[in-house]
Amino acid sequence: MAAATSPTAFVELDVEGMSCAACASRIESQLNRIEGVEASVSFASEKAAIRFAPQSLDVGTLIGAIRDTGYDAHVAREGE
């Protein structure tokens, strides 16, 4: 029997355009509204650490949500 795989994936995104901690909070809230997403956004490091359900979401969707909030993002690293 094969070992069960984790239902979550991890990605760290570089976030561009934040000018304050409220920006980070706004992005984090937007990401966490998406079902299957657990996100933490740091203004200090300008990064978003995101766990998500790869069965229903992809990294492009996450980046799109950040762009819809008025900021830009690109992949810093994937996996763990």
Side-chain angles (χ1 to χ4, degrees):
M1 175 183 266
T5 58
S6 173
T8 61
F10 175 81
V11 66
E12 185 175 74
L13 301 175
D14 288 324
V15 181
E16 299 173 4
M18 293 188 292
S19 60
C20 62
C23 296
S25 179
R26 188 175 305 119
I27 294 166
E28 187 173 298
S29 293
Q30 181 73 13
L31 289 168
N32 284 318
R33 286 184 193 136
I34 302 169
E35 188 171 335
V37 170
E38 291 180 21
S40 176
V41 180
S42 170
F43 170 63
S45 66
E46 298 182 326
K47 294 195 182 297
I50 306 168
R51 290 198 175 282
F52 64 99
Q55 306 87 335
S56 58
L57 296 168
D58 62 19
V59 175
T61 301
L62 301 171
I63 291 172
I66 292 172
R67 288 181 177 156
D68 288 347
T69 309
Y71 306 90
D72 199 8
H74 59 274
V75 176
R77 69 183 172 101
E78 290 187 68
E80 283 199 68

